[in-house]
Amino acid sequence: MALLKVKFNQKKRVKLAQGLWLMNWFSVFAGILVFSMGLFLKIELRKRSEVMDNSESHFVPNSLILMGILSCAFNGFAGKICYDSLDPAKFAKWKPLLKPYLALCCVFNILIFFVALMCFLMRGSLDSTLAQGLKNGMKFYRDTDTPGRCFMKKTIDMLQIEFKCCGNNGYKDWFEIQWISNRYLDFSSKEVKDRIKSNVDGRYLVDGVPFSCCNPSSPRPCIQYQVTNNSAHYSYDYQTEELNLWRRGCREALLNYYSGMMSSMGAVILLVWLFEMSVMVGLRLLHTSLESIANPEDPECESEGWVLENSLKDTFKSALENLKKLGKFNQVEAGAEGAEGEEGGKTPAITTVS
């Protein structure tokens, strides 16, 4: 029994073709939207590339850009087919191409669904990318005179100000690295010498943070040095909630920003996928309804359209049998080639008659 079997007359076929033509052009605009989202996401990731460890995060935007281009191409082509199906003479030239085209549409829709899932599942890889990238970026914060790292201080400062965050996981991350350049340290000072000597790696570590970690909403002036020394400041306790530094780490802030963006994009792409699936089903119904016309010279006669010629179970069984036959055929060919090789390798016996 055919799946989704529908009876059509000429009027219904014409309406289906016209509706599909319109839906295909809506899908072209949807493809432009997907392309634009991919381009926007790629630009946003490029902005923060200096604090990302690798380029794996660009897989999703590149996929969105590719899917957008393919969507425009596929749906533009399908729109042309639907328009020509109104004229049986024009539709005849598309008949041999429709089955391969529908097979490609199936693959395309599977890819769209996969990309939509990737938008939701990318949080894990993005988390590790940001964690390592921010850690490296903070190490290079002081290298304002080193080629290739001159702008890292500005990048980190602007990032912390824009996203209201501090450090990788929190403000205490700055306590573990030397973020003050040696050019601004007085090496004749006993305090500086003692701090450097007390560190195994010879680094100048302080319980302080860059100015960009300061919360401008705090009622008191920013305390960015001797953050953990309560006695160094009047009426101050760094463990209270009134600490005037951003408590949230930049990894969490960026992760939430990109995850929210990609989740929204994933939802949009799922809607596009559902729309593309409905267009593909409609095109299949149109294709089968036109092919099943009993008398091609009488376009007004009734016909039947279906999505699958047999039930889903029978179609699945048939596909498995075809795969098995193909496998057996390959084995037979390989066996035949081996037999021919053995025969060719045999040396004919020569009998000498005396």
Side-chain angles (χ1 to χ4, degrees):
M1 184 179 176
L3 182 67
L4 288 178
K5 198 172 186 179
V6 183
K7 284 190 175 182
F8 289 92
N9 54 30
Q10 187 187 22
K11 188 177 180 181
K12 284 185 179 180
R13 287 194 295 268
V14 168
K15 283 186 176 180
L16 178 61
Q18 290 174 339
L20 285 172
W21 178 83
L22 189 61
M23 288 175 72
N24 274 296
W25 284 110
F26 274 122
S27 295
V28 170
F29 290 116
I32 294 171
L33 175 64
V34 171
F35 175 84
S36 302
M37 287 192 302
L39 197 61
F40 174 75
L41 181 58
K42 192 172 183 68
I43 291 170
E44 286 296 306
L45 289 171
R46 285 282 184 189
K47 286 180 183 178
R48 321 290 172 202
S49 61
E50 291 180 340
V51 292
M52 290 185 179
D53 185 44
N54 54 48
S55 58
E56 287 179 9
S57 54
H58 289 276
F59 174 75
V60 170
N62 290 340
S63 300
L64 289 175
I65 290 170
L66 178 62
M67 289 299 105
I69 293 171
L70 290 177
S71 179
C72 292
F74 272 95
N75 289 292
F77 182 69
K80 173 64 175 171
I81 293 174
C82 294
Y83 182 79
D84 285 350
S85 64
L86 297 172
D87 184 353
K90 289 183 179 179
F91 178 74
K93 66 181 180 181
W94 298 115
K95 276 188 179 182
L97 298 175
L98 274 174
K99 281 189 178 179
Y101 174 74
L102 286 167
L104 286 174
C105 283
C106 286
V107 175
F108 173 67
N109 283 316
I110 291 169
L111 289 175
I112 287 184
F113 185 74
F114 174 73
V115 171
L117 285 181
M118 286 299 299
C119 288
F120 293 109
L121 300 175
M122 195 182 165
R123 184 182 177 92
S125 62
L126 193 61
D127 189 6
S128 59
T129 295
L130 285 169
Q132 190 60 39
L134 282 165
K135 186 177 180 181
N136 293 334
M138 289 170 65
K139 286 179 181 177
F140 302 142
Y141 182 87
R142 63 175 181 167
D143 298 336
T144 52
D145 295 330
T146 307
R149 301 172 186 171
C150 304
F151 300 103
M152 187 55 73
K153 179 184 181 300
K154 180 182 177 182
T155 300
I156 297 289
D157 283 333
M158 294 302 295
L159 177 68
Q160 293 187 145
I161 291 170
E162 181 182 351
F163 287 90
K164 299 180 179 179
C165 59
C166 184
N168 191 347
N169 298 306
Y171 68 91
K172 290 185 179 179
D173 292 337
W174 289 108
F175 301 173
E176 300 172 2
I177 62 170
Q178 181 182 338
W179 55 273
I180 300 174
S181 177
N182 287 337
R183 67 185 295 187
Y184 301 114
L185 296 176
D186 181 9
F187 286 95
S188 62
S189 168
K190 185 178 183 303
E191 182 188 352
V192 173
K193 288 179 180 178
D194 290 344
R195 279 191 179 274
I196 293 174
K197 286 179 182 178
S198 64
N199 190 278
V200 177
D201 298 328
R203 294 177 297 170
Y204 181 75
L205 303 181
V206 294
D207 57 342
V209 297
F211 78 97
S212 52
C213 283
C214 296
N215 182 355
S217 301
S218 175
R220 71 182 296 162
C222 183
I223 296 174
Q224 65 179 109
Y225 295 107
Q226 295 185 325
V227 176
T228 59
N229 187 358
N230 292 334
S231 61
H233 313 284
Y234 178 73
S235 184
Y236 174 73
D237 182 3
Y238 80 95
Q239 293 180 333
T240 65
E241 293 182 0
E242 296 179 2
L243 183 71
N244 55 1
L245 301 176
W246 300 118
R247 288 182 173 271
R248 184 173 65 162
C250 290
R251 179 183 60 83
E252 181 188 350
L254 282 172
L255 190 61
N256 290 338
Y257 173 71
Y258 284 120
S259 295
M261 184 189 298
M262 286 189 287
S263 295
S264 301
M265 289 181 178
V268 172
I269 294 163
L270 278 179
L271 291 175
V272 172
W273 173 73
L274 289 172
F275 194 74
E276 291 282 359
M277 286 294 291
S278 63
V279 171
M280 187 180 70
V281 170
L283 190 60
R284 174 63 176 167
L285 287 171
L286 180 64
H287 167 222
T288 51
S289 66
L290 288 169
E291 276 200 334
S292 63
I293 293 176
N295 185 9
E297 295 180 359
D298 182 17
E300 294 184 3
C301 67
E302 290 190 348
S303 63
E304 291 182 341
W306 56 83
V307 175
L308 293 176
E309 193 170 357
N310 301 312
S311 65
L312 193 62
K313 185 179 179 181
D314 293 338
T315 304
F316 184 69
K317 281 183 179 179
S318 177
L320 283 177
E321 286 175 2
N322 289 333
L323 286 173
K324 286 178 182 177
K325 286 179 182 177
L326 185 62
K328 287 179 181 178
F329 180 71
N330 288 335
Q331 287 177 1
V332 169
E333 279 194 338
E337 286 177 1
E340 285 178 5
E342 287 179 3
E343 288 177 3
K346 286 180 182 179
T347 305
I350 302 172
T351 306
T352 308
V353 181
S354 56

